Amino acid sequence: MFLIYVRYCQLMLNTNDKQMKIVFISLILLFFYNHSHGQLDLPDIGASVSAKAYLFELNKDLFAQDEVLRLIPASLTKVITTATALELLGPDYHFETKFYYAGNIINHKLIGNLVIESYGDPTLGSGYFDQTDPDLLFHRIKEAFVDLGIASVEGDIVIVADKINYPAPRLWEDMGNYYGGSPKGFNWRDNTIIVTLQSGEVGTPCSLISTEPDFDSYQLDCRVVAADHNNDSAYVFGISEVQQWWIEGSIPARRSSFNIKAAMPDPETVFKNSLKAFLKNQGVSFKSRNTVKQISPSDQRLLFTHRSPSLAEIIKVTNHKSNNLFADQLLLALAREKRGKVNWDNGNAVVYEFWHDKIDFDKEFRLRDGSGLSPKNLVSAKGMVQLLTWMKENSYYFETFTLSLAKGGESGTLKSVFKHPDLKDRIIGKSGSMEGVLGYCGYFQTASGKNAAFCIIANNYLAPTKQIRTAMDKMITWQVLHN
């Protein structure tokens, strides 16, 4: 058949009919033009690419390129985690944190403990929601004391929370930074410390000015130097079990103050110290007394139950801001709610159990965390498009899911791409990136009104990420505007 086609082309090119020859050559050029725009042509021949777009109305692929090639998805993993949490927990799910007092109230003094039972709420004291401001929670605790006539406390603050091990596949160089700190059984203020540095002339050492909240018992060694750029290129190294942390890299020269973010090594201690300071400022003295007899759970009296923002609100921040803490805590919440024990294996098992009979999960996915920080996660474009297609065609919560995704050229992680004016309101999705990794997935509507799920991932490139991003942007933009 191929030889017949080649012979036909030769005859057409040798024909004396000039008009037919022009038409035929035009068709050939059009074919190659469309084909070239249907494939991602990266400025790096050594890179790996997996890409696919599926048209719902026509039940066929718009384009596909090594669609079964499994690659590192980075933060595209959050799309999988948030979709699974939405389906299994529902948009109205809330994390709860219970506050008790245990002991006796004598002459307006609580002789006993304030007991906090944590269920891993990642939004406690978070800066992403108005209702999670730390002072609001502290005032609620103070008001509960006032209602009981408690003017002072002689005892301790006891936090009951799961012990969560570090996810084995997480990179050491990520874990001391705000985006890479491991989730905790008790989380506070996004598990983030603001570190303020001061820089002098280019090449000189920088000084550590302050940390907020206080780094407490941990030591932070500043090895950062001033540089002739305007970037935050300083990175924090450390884990909770090690008291000595340090910062390396560079920040812009001649800055009186320059803020970077570190992971919070001990959220429980930061919370306790902050609450005690708040209560003291409010006239409620707090005298720690470790000798207070431990009260059994049956003797605890509930002060109140704090509820997080809804899951619908949480996944919107997770996907728009690419929040690693929220995503990983959602995976651990799935472990708690569906397996009864919080660990990474149980969370990943719940994800597998939900998807394995709905899409080709076994062949197209390998997941190790909920956020995508692990370089051991693997996803193919085919698998991601299958998941996105299932959500559109089967999910009762599909609208809530789409609202969690960023708009191309407008918001979240897609704000800087797909900015062509004719793409407005046509693309929603999520980006994912780490060193040598870039990907986009989501939904788009073509100029002719056809709807598609898409995923495009590149790995192992050495070219500048900006060039890879530009190539992906051009390819998707062309597909949307010419179909």
Side-chain angles (χ1 to χ4, degrees):
M1 182 63 72
F2 177 73
L3 293 176
I4 295 173
Y5 174 72
V6 171
R7 181 58 182 157
Y8 175 73
C9 291
Q10 291 173 338
L11 290 172
M12 291 301 297
L13 291 173
N14 292 329
T15 181
N16 292 324
D17 188 329
K18 185 177 180 180
Q19 184 175 3
M20 183 174 290
K21 183 182 289 187
I22 292 173
V23 170
F24 183 72
I25 292 174
S26 298
L27 289 173
I28 292 176
L29 292 174
L30 181 62
F31 169 80
F32 283 108
Y33 181 74
N34 284 332
H35 179 75
S36 66
H37 282 77
Q39 301 291 308
L40 180 62
D41 185 19
L42 292 182
D44 188 334
I45 61 174
S48 303
V49 175
S50 183
K52 182 183 179 70
Y54 173 77
L55 291 168
F56 298 117
E57 289 86 356
L58 300 181
N59 191 29
K60 70 173 188 178
D61 290 344
L62 177 60
F63 62 79
Q65 180 177 348
D66 288 331
E67 59 180 294
V68 298
L69 185 63
R70 293 180 291 271
L71 298 176
I72 299 170
S75 284
L76 299 190
T77 306
K78 295 180 177 68
V79 172
I80 306 165
T81 306
T82 54
T84 310
L86 191 59
E87 292 302 303
L88 291 177
L89 303 178
D92 297 323
Y93 175 85
H94 297 263
F95 288 89
E96 291 188 344
T97 306
K98 297 182 181 294
F99 291 79
Y100 302 87
Y101 76 93
N104 299 308
I105 302 171
I106 302 173
N107 295 326
H108 303 292
K109 176 188 291 186
L110 170 61
I111 302 176
N113 300 327
L114 172 65
V115 180
I116 301 167
E117 195 172 89
S118 172
Y119 295 93
D121 182 359
T123 73
L124 207 63
S126 173
Y128 288 102
F129 309 94
D130 291 339
Q131 65 267 43
T132 57
D133 182 275
D135 279 354
L136 292 178
L137 179 61
F138 288 168
H139 274 290
R140 192 173 181 187
I141 295 171
K142 188 249 183 179
E143 290 166 1
F145 281 2
V146 170
D147 289 343
L148 290 170
I150 298 173
S152 63
V153 179
E154 187 172 318
D156 204 354
I157 299 174
V158 177
I159 297 178
V160 180
D162 292 303
K163 171 66 175 176
I164 299 174
N165 295 324
Y166 287 108
R170 185 155 297 187
L171 295 174
W172 155 252
E173 54 262 41
D174 288 334
M175 294 173 64
N177 297 284
Y178 77 97
Y179 61 84
S182 184
K184 309 290 185 181
F186 178 87
N187 304 285
W188 180 243
R189 291 182 61 167
D190 301 308
N191 291 1
T192 298
I193 298 283
I194 304 299
V195 180
T196 302
L197 305 176
Q198 185 178 77
S199 62
E201 296 303 315
V202 173
T204 61
C206 298
S207 301
L208 173 63
I209 303 302
S210 64
T211 62
E212 173 57 36
D214 187 7
F215 217 62
D216 200 55
S217 61
Y218 290 81
Q219 294 180 326
L220 185 59
D221 181 19
C222 182
R223 305 174 187 175
V224 180
V225 297
D228 188 19
H229 61 61
N230 290 313
N231 304 319
D232 174 3
S233 297
Y235 298 92
V236 185
F237 294 85
I239 58 174
S240 298
E241 287 78 3
V242 177
Q243 301 299 114
Q244 180 69 53
W245 287 37
W246 71 92
I247 320 171
E248 292 183 0
S250 62
I251 62 172
R254 297 175 292 277
R255 295 290 186 93
S256 60
S257 66
F258 188 88
N259 292 339
I260 66 171
K261 295 179 180 179
M264 185 183 291
D266 187 0
E268 290 191 18
T269 298
V270 171
F271 173 85
K272 291 177 183 180
N273 291 342
S274 298
L275 176 57
K276 290 175 182 178
F278 175 86
L279 291 173
K280 181 179 180 180
N281 188 54
Q282 294 289 313
V284 179
S285 64
F286 204 112
K287 182 179 180 181
S288 294
R289 182 179 170 190
N290 296 326
T291 57
V292 172
K293 183 180 179 180
Q294 189 68 37
I295 307 298
S296 68
S298 61
D299 293 329
Q300 294 177 174
R301 297 167 180 83
L302 183 66
L303 290 171
F304 63 88
T305 298
H306 172 85
R307 303 180 81 209
S308 73
S310 69
L311 181 69
E313 296 173 274
I314 293 172
I315 67 169
K316 186 172 183 178
V317 171
T318 304
N319 285 332
H320 270 72
K321 301 295 185 181
S322 206
N323 189 299
N324 294 320
L325 173 63
F326 287 8
D328 282 327
Q329 285 290 358
L330 287 175
L331 183 74
L332 296 171
L334 289 171
R336 176 185 292 106
E337 298 293 345
K338 300 301 177 181
R339 285 286 186 104
K341 185 175 181 180
V342 178
N343 59 49
W344 299 95
D345 288 343
N346 279 347
N348 288 318
V350 172
V351 175
Y352 169 81
E353 289 166 1
F354 180 77
W355 289 109
H356 81 98
D357 60 349
K358 298 176 177 63
I359 59 178
D360 295 329
F361 195 88
D362 301 70
K363 297 179 180 179
E364 312 300 337
F365 296 83
R366 184 181 75 187
L367 300 181
R368 293 293 182 264
D369 66 11
S371 63
L373 267 177
S374 171
K376 293 190 177 183
N377 292 316
L378 292 176
V379 173
S380 71
K382 178 183 176 182
M384 185 64 80
V385 168
Q386 286 182 347
L387 184 146
L388 292 167
T389 299
W390 188 93
M391 289 297 292
K392 185 179 188 305
E393 295 180 346
N394 299 279
S395 176
Y396 184 75
Y397 306 121
F398 180 65
E399 182 178 357
T400 302
F401 178 62
T402 59
L403 289 174
S404 78
L405 302 176
K407 289 186 177 182
E410 294 184 37
S411 64
T413 63
L414 299 189
K415 190 173 183 179
S416 63
V417 289
F418 312 131
K419 300 179 75 171
H420 191 289
D422 293 337
L423 292 182
K424 184 175 175 58
D425 296 328
R426 290 193 178 276
I427 300 179
I428 58 173
K430 175 86 182 69
S431 74
S433 64
M434 59 174 59
E435 186 176 4
V437 175
L438 183 64
Y440 296 95
C441 72
Y443 304 94
F444 63 70
Q445 184 180 70
T446 68
S448 64
K450 302 181 186 70
N451 294 285
F454 77 97
C455 178
I456 183 167
I457 307 172
N459 278 193
N460 308 313
Y461 57 81
L462 299 179
T465 298
K466 183 177 180 180
Q467 293 181 15
I468 307 299
R469 183 182 296 113
T470 298
M472 290 183 172
D473 193 334
K474 286 182 177 179
M475 187 255 200
I476 297 296
T477 298
W478 192 94
Q479 292 291 344
V480 173
L481 298 182
H482 293 84
N483 286 287

